[in-house]
Short mmCIF file of all heavy atoms in Angstrom, two decimals:
data_model
loop_
_atom_site.label_atom_id
_atom_site.label_comp_id
_atom_site.label_asym_id
_atom_site.label_seq_id
_atom_site.Cartn_x
_atom_site.Cartn_y
_atom_site.Cartn_z
N ASP A 271 -124.29 58.36 56.37
CA ASP A 271 -123.21 58.89 57.18
C ASP A 271 -123.16 58.11 58.49
O ASP A 271 -124.15 58.06 59.22
CB ASP A 271 -123.42 60.39 57.45
CG ASP A 271 -122.22 61.04 58.09
OD1 ASP A 271 -121.10 60.58 57.84
OD2 ASP A 271 -122.41 61.99 58.85
N LYS A 272 -122.02 57.50 58.77
CA LYS A 272 -121.89 56.64 59.95
C LYS A 272 -121.88 57.41 61.26
O LYS A 272 -122.24 56.86 62.30
CB LYS A 272 -120.63 55.79 59.84
CG LYS A 272 -120.69 54.75 58.76
CD LYS A 272 -119.44 53.91 58.75
CE LYS A 272 -119.55 52.84 57.69
NZ LYS A 272 -118.38 51.99 57.62
N ASP A 273 -121.46 58.66 61.24
CA ASP A 273 -121.35 59.41 62.49
C ASP A 273 -122.21 60.68 62.51
O ASP A 273 -121.91 61.63 63.21
CB ASP A 273 -119.89 59.76 62.78
CG ASP A 273 -119.28 60.64 61.71
OD1 ASP A 273 -119.89 60.81 60.64
OD2 ASP A 273 -118.18 61.16 61.93
N GLY A 274 -123.26 60.67 61.76
CA GLY A 274 -124.14 61.85 61.73
C GLY A 274 -125.28 61.61 60.74
O GLY A 274 -125.81 60.52 60.64
N ARG A 275 -125.60 62.65 60.00
CA ARG A 275 -126.66 62.55 59.00
C ARG A 275 -126.27 63.33 57.76
O ARG A 275 -125.40 64.19 57.80
CB ARG A 275 -127.97 63.06 59.57
CG ARG A 275 -127.94 64.51 59.98
CD ARG A 275 -129.28 64.99 60.54
NE ARG A 275 -129.14 66.25 61.23
CZ ARG A 275 -128.94 67.42 60.62
NH1 ARG A 275 -128.87 67.48 59.32
NH2 ARG A 275 -128.81 68.53 61.32
N ILE A 276 -126.94 63.03 56.66
CA ILE A 276 -126.70 63.73 55.41
C ILE A 276 -127.42 65.08 55.47
O ILE A 276 -128.61 65.13 55.73
CB ILE A 276 -127.18 62.90 54.20
CG1 ILE A 276 -126.46 61.55 54.15
CG2 ILE A 276 -127.00 63.67 52.90
CD1 ILE A 276 -124.96 61.64 54.01
N GLU A 277 -126.68 66.14 55.23
CA GLU A 277 -127.23 67.50 55.27
C GLU A 277 -127.84 67.89 53.93
O GLU A 277 -128.94 68.39 53.85
CB GLU A 277 -126.12 68.48 55.65
CG GLU A 277 -126.56 69.90 55.84
CD GLU A 277 -127.28 70.11 57.15
OE1 GLU A 277 -127.10 69.33 58.09
OE2 GLU A 277 -128.04 71.08 57.21
N ARG A 278 -127.05 67.65 52.85
CA ARG A 278 -127.54 68.01 51.52
C ARG A 278 -126.72 67.30 50.45
O ARG A 278 -125.61 66.84 50.71
CB ARG A 278 -127.49 69.51 51.29
CG ARG A 278 -126.11 70.09 51.16
CD ARG A 278 -126.13 71.62 51.04
NE ARG A 278 -124.82 72.17 50.81
CZ ARG A 278 -123.89 72.38 51.73
NH1 ARG A 278 -124.14 72.06 52.99
NH2 ARG A 278 -122.73 72.89 51.42
N VAL A 279 -127.30 67.22 49.26
CA VAL A 279 -126.62 66.65 48.09
C VAL A 279 -126.71 67.70 46.99
O VAL A 279 -127.80 68.15 46.64
CB VAL A 279 -127.28 65.33 47.64
CG1 VAL A 279 -126.60 64.78 46.41
CG2 VAL A 279 -127.27 64.31 48.77
N GLU A 280 -125.54 68.09 46.45
CA GLU A 280 -125.50 69.07 45.38
C GLU A 280 -125.17 68.38 44.06
O GLU A 280 -124.34 67.48 44.02
CB GLU A 280 -124.44 70.14 45.67
CG GLU A 280 -124.75 71.00 46.87
CD GLU A 280 -123.67 72.03 47.15
OE1 GLU A 280 -122.59 72.01 46.51
OE2 GLU A 280 -123.91 72.88 48.03
N PHE A 281 -125.81 68.84 43.00
CA PHE A 281 -125.62 68.27 41.67
C PHE A 281 -125.00 69.32 40.75
O PHE A 281 -125.41 70.48 40.76
CB PHE A 281 -126.96 67.82 41.09
CG PHE A 281 -127.61 66.72 41.88
CD1 PHE A 281 -128.45 67.01 42.95
CD2 PHE A 281 -127.37 65.39 41.58
CE1 PHE A 281 -129.05 66.02 43.68
CE2 PHE A 281 -127.96 64.38 42.32
CZ PHE A 281 -128.80 64.69 43.37
N TYR A 282 -124.01 68.88 39.94
CA TYR A 282 -123.36 69.75 38.97
C TYR A 282 -123.34 69.04 37.62
O TYR A 282 -123.13 67.82 37.56
CB TYR A 282 -121.93 70.07 39.41
CG TYR A 282 -121.86 70.91 40.66
CD1 TYR A 282 -121.98 70.33 41.91
CD2 TYR A 282 -121.69 72.29 40.59
CE1 TYR A 282 -121.93 71.10 43.07
CE2 TYR A 282 -121.64 73.06 41.74
CZ TYR A 282 -121.76 72.45 42.97
OH TYR A 282 -121.72 73.21 44.11
N ALA A 283 -123.56 69.80 36.56
CA ALA A 283 -123.49 69.27 35.20
C ALA A 283 -122.52 70.14 34.41
O ALA A 283 -122.71 71.37 34.34
CB ALA A 283 -124.86 69.26 34.55
N ASN A 284 -121.50 69.53 33.84
CA ASN A 284 -120.47 70.25 33.10
C ASN A 284 -119.89 71.40 33.92
O ASN A 284 -119.74 72.52 33.44
CB ASN A 284 -121.02 70.75 31.76
CG ASN A 284 -121.41 69.60 30.85
OD1 ASN A 284 -120.76 68.57 30.83
ND2 ASN A 284 -122.48 69.77 30.12
N HIS A 285 -119.58 71.13 35.17
CA HIS A 285 -118.96 72.07 36.11
C HIS A 285 -119.86 73.25 36.47
O HIS A 285 -119.38 74.25 36.99
CB HIS A 285 -117.63 72.58 35.56
CG HIS A 285 -116.70 71.48 35.15
ND1 HIS A 285 -116.08 70.64 36.06
CD2 HIS A 285 -116.32 71.05 33.92
CE1 HIS A 285 -115.35 69.77 35.41
NE2 HIS A 285 -115.46 69.99 34.13
N LYS A 286 -121.15 73.15 36.20
CA LYS A 286 -122.10 74.22 36.55
C LYS A 286 -123.11 73.66 37.54
O LYS A 286 -123.60 72.54 37.39
CB LYS A 286 -122.82 74.74 35.32
CG LYS A 286 -121.90 75.46 34.36
CD LYS A 286 -122.66 75.99 33.17
CE LYS A 286 -121.71 76.66 32.21
NZ LYS A 286 -122.38 77.10 31.00
N TYR A 287 -123.43 74.47 38.54
CA TYR A 287 -124.40 74.08 39.56
C TYR A 287 -125.75 73.79 38.91
O TYR A 287 -126.26 74.57 38.11
CB TYR A 287 -124.52 75.19 40.59
CG TYR A 287 -125.58 74.96 41.63
CD1 TYR A 287 -125.36 74.08 42.68
CD2 TYR A 287 -126.80 75.61 41.55
CE1 TYR A 287 -126.34 73.86 43.64
CE2 TYR A 287 -127.78 75.40 42.50
CZ TYR A 287 -127.54 74.52 43.54
OH TYR A 287 -128.51 74.31 44.48
N ALA A 288 -126.34 72.63 39.27
CA ALA A 288 -127.64 72.25 38.71
C ALA A 288 -128.74 72.25 39.76
O ALA A 288 -129.90 72.49 39.44
CB ALA A 288 -127.54 70.88 38.04
N GLY A 289 -128.41 71.94 41.02
CA GLY A 289 -129.44 71.93 42.05
C GLY A 289 -128.98 71.25 43.32
O GLY A 289 -127.91 70.65 43.38
N THR A 290 -129.83 71.35 44.35
CA THR A 290 -129.56 70.77 45.67
C THR A 290 -130.79 70.02 46.15
O THR A 290 -131.91 70.46 45.92
CB THR A 290 -129.22 71.87 46.69
OG1 THR A 290 -128.06 72.57 46.25
CG2 THR A 290 -128.96 71.29 48.07
N MET A 291 -130.56 68.90 46.83
CA MET A 291 -131.63 68.16 47.47
C MET A 291 -131.26 67.97 48.93
O MET A 291 -130.10 67.75 49.26
CB MET A 291 -131.86 66.82 46.80
CG MET A 291 -132.31 66.95 45.35
SD MET A 291 -133.08 65.47 44.74
CE MET A 291 -134.63 65.51 45.58
N THR A 292 -132.26 68.05 49.81
CA THR A 292 -132.01 67.89 51.24
C THR A 292 -132.75 66.70 51.83
O THR A 292 -132.56 66.39 52.99
CB THR A 292 -132.41 69.16 52.01
OG1 THR A 292 -133.78 69.43 51.75
CG2 THR A 292 -131.56 70.34 51.60
N LYS A 293 -133.58 66.05 51.04
CA LYS A 293 -134.34 64.90 51.54
C LYS A 293 -134.14 63.70 50.63
O LYS A 293 -134.04 63.82 49.43
CB LYS A 293 -135.83 65.24 51.62
CG LYS A 293 -136.13 66.32 52.64
CD LYS A 293 -137.60 66.54 52.79
CE LYS A 293 -137.86 67.63 53.81
NZ LYS A 293 -139.26 67.88 54.03
N ALA A 294 -134.09 62.52 51.26
CA ALA A 294 -133.97 61.28 50.50
C ALA A 294 -135.34 60.87 49.99
O ALA A 294 -136.34 61.21 50.60
CB ALA A 294 -133.38 60.19 51.39
N PRO A 295 -135.46 60.16 48.94
CA PRO A 295 -134.40 59.71 48.04
C PRO A 295 -133.93 60.85 47.14
O PRO A 295 -134.71 61.70 46.75
CB PRO A 295 -135.06 58.61 47.23
CG PRO A 295 -136.50 58.98 47.19
CD PRO A 295 -136.78 59.67 48.50
N CYS A 296 -132.66 60.87 46.84
CA CYS A 296 -132.08 61.92 46.00
C CYS A 296 -132.04 61.46 44.56
O CYS A 296 -131.24 60.61 44.18
CB CYS A 296 -130.68 62.28 46.48
SG CYS A 296 -130.66 63.07 48.08
N SER A 297 -132.93 62.00 43.78
CA SER A 297 -132.99 61.71 42.36
C SER A 297 -133.16 63.04 41.64
O SER A 297 -134.04 63.82 41.98
CB SER A 297 -134.17 60.78 42.06
OG SER A 297 -134.19 60.46 40.70
N PHE A 298 -132.29 63.31 40.68
CA PHE A 298 -132.27 64.62 40.03
C PHE A 298 -132.17 64.42 38.52
O PHE A 298 -131.39 63.59 38.05
CB PHE A 298 -131.08 65.42 40.55
CG PHE A 298 -131.16 66.88 40.28
CD1 PHE A 298 -131.90 67.72 41.09
CD2 PHE A 298 -130.48 67.43 39.21
CE1 PHE A 298 -131.97 69.07 40.84
CE2 PHE A 298 -130.54 68.78 38.96
CZ PHE A 298 -131.29 69.61 39.77
N GLU A 299 -132.92 65.21 37.78
CA GLU A 299 -132.90 65.12 36.31
C GLU A 299 -132.07 66.26 35.75
O GLU A 299 -132.31 67.43 36.05
CB GLU A 299 -134.32 65.18 35.76
CG GLU A 299 -134.39 64.96 34.27
CD GLU A 299 -135.81 64.81 33.76
OE1 GLU A 299 -136.74 64.71 34.58
OE2 GLU A 299 -135.99 64.80 32.53
N ILE A 300 -131.08 65.90 34.93
CA ILE A 300 -130.20 66.88 34.29
C ILE A 300 -130.44 66.83 32.79
O ILE A 300 -130.37 65.76 32.17
CB ILE A 300 -128.72 66.60 34.62
CG1 ILE A 300 -128.51 66.75 36.13
CG2 ILE A 300 -127.80 67.51 33.84
CD1 ILE A 300 -127.12 66.42 36.59
N GLN A 301 -130.72 67.98 32.21
CA GLN A 301 -131.00 68.07 30.78
C GLN A 301 -129.71 67.95 29.97
O GLN A 301 -128.67 68.50 30.34
CB GLN A 301 -131.69 69.40 30.45
CG GLN A 301 -133.01 69.60 31.15
CD GLN A 301 -134.03 68.54 30.77
OE1 GLN A 301 -134.17 68.18 29.61
NE2 GLN A 301 -134.75 68.04 31.76
N LYS A 302 -129.80 67.24 28.84
CA LYS A 302 -128.67 67.14 27.92
C LYS A 302 -128.68 68.37 27.01
O LYS A 302 -129.73 68.92 26.70
CB LYS A 302 -128.79 65.90 27.05
CG LYS A 302 -128.60 64.60 27.78
CD LYS A 302 -128.71 63.45 26.82
CE LYS A 302 -128.56 62.12 27.50
NZ LYS A 302 -128.70 61.00 26.55
N VAL A 303 -127.50 68.80 26.60
CA VAL A 303 -127.38 69.89 25.64
C VAL A 303 -126.90 69.28 24.34
O VAL A 303 -125.85 68.65 24.29
CB VAL A 303 -126.38 70.96 26.14
CG1 VAL A 303 -126.21 72.06 25.11
CG2 VAL A 303 -126.84 71.52 27.47
N ASN A 304 -127.69 69.44 23.28
CA ASN A 304 -127.38 68.86 21.96
C ASN A 304 -127.20 67.35 22.03
O ASN A 304 -126.36 66.78 21.35
CB ASN A 304 -126.14 69.51 21.35
CG ASN A 304 -126.31 70.98 21.12
OD1 ASN A 304 -127.42 71.45 20.82
ND2 ASN A 304 -125.25 71.73 21.26
N GLU A 305 -127.98 66.71 22.91
CA GLU A 305 -127.95 65.25 23.08
C GLU A 305 -126.57 64.72 23.48
O GLU A 305 -126.23 63.57 23.21
CB GLU A 305 -128.45 64.53 21.82
CG GLU A 305 -129.91 64.75 21.54
CD GLU A 305 -130.81 64.24 22.67
OE1 GLU A 305 -130.59 63.13 23.16
OE2 GLU A 305 -131.73 64.98 23.04
N ILE A 306 -125.76 65.53 24.11
CA ILE A 306 -124.43 65.12 24.58
C ILE A 306 -124.53 64.80 26.06
O ILE A 306 -125.10 65.55 26.84
CB ILE A 306 -123.40 66.23 24.33
CG1 ILE A 306 -123.26 66.48 22.83
CG2 ILE A 306 -122.05 65.87 24.95
CD1 ILE A 306 -122.38 67.66 22.48
N GLN A 307 -123.94 63.66 26.43
CA GLN A 307 -123.92 63.24 27.83
C GLN A 307 -123.15 64.26 28.67
O GLN A 307 -121.99 64.52 28.41
CB GLN A 307 -123.26 61.85 27.94
CG GLN A 307 -123.08 61.35 29.33
CD GLN A 307 -124.37 60.88 29.96
OE1 GLN A 307 -125.31 60.56 29.28
NE2 GLN A 307 -124.39 60.85 31.28
N PRO A 308 -123.77 64.87 29.69
CA PRO A 308 -123.05 65.85 30.51
C PRO A 308 -122.08 65.17 31.48
O PRO A 308 -122.27 64.02 31.87
CB PRO A 308 -124.18 66.55 31.27
CG PRO A 308 -125.27 65.55 31.34
CD PRO A 308 -125.17 64.73 30.10
N LYS A 309 -121.04 65.91 31.87
CA LYS A 309 -120.14 65.45 32.93
C LYS A 309 -120.85 65.76 34.24
O LYS A 309 -121.16 66.90 34.52
CB LYS A 309 -118.80 66.18 32.86
CG LYS A 309 -118.00 65.82 31.64
CD LYS A 309 -116.69 66.55 31.63
CE LYS A 309 -115.93 66.21 30.37
NZ LYS A 309 -114.67 66.95 30.26
N ILE A 310 -121.10 64.74 35.03
CA ILE A 310 -121.89 64.88 36.24
C ILE A 310 -120.98 64.81 37.46
O ILE A 310 -120.09 63.96 37.54
CB ILE A 310 -122.98 63.79 36.31
CG1 ILE A 310 -123.93 63.96 35.14
CG2 ILE A 310 -123.71 63.83 37.64
CD1 ILE A 310 -124.88 62.82 34.96
N GLU A 311 -121.23 65.70 38.41
CA GLU A 311 -120.52 65.70 39.68
C GLU A 311 -121.55 65.82 40.79
O GLU A 311 -122.46 66.64 40.73
CB GLU A 311 -119.54 66.88 39.75
CG GLU A 311 -118.72 66.89 41.02
CD GLU A 311 -117.69 68.01 41.02
OE1 GLU A 311 -117.01 68.21 39.99
OE2 GLU A 311 -117.58 68.67 42.06
#
């Protein structure tokens, strides 16, 4: 963020909340359902 700092990063899989991270580095593992690639946001 050029004019502040990053507060949090939220992760969603298939339009459902998966988790939040507040510290870098932000790396999150999302489980597949029936080996189908989830839609990630």
Side-chain angles (χ1 to χ4, degrees):
D271 189 30
K272 291 183 178 180
D273 61 349
R275 61 180 166 73
I276 301 299
E277 184 76 23
R278 70 184 184 280
V279 178
E280 295 179 352
F281 297 88
Y282 293 82
N284 296 324
H285 308 289
K286 293 182 182 176
Y287 175 77
T290 299
M291 297 199 73
T292 57
K293 295 186 180 181
C296 292
S297 182
F298 197 81
E299 186 171 351
I300 297 176
Q301 300 298 317
K302 291 181 181 179
V303 178
N304 298 328
E305 292 300 315
I306 297 174
Q307 175 75 22
K309 292 180 182 177
I310 297 170
E311 183 176 315

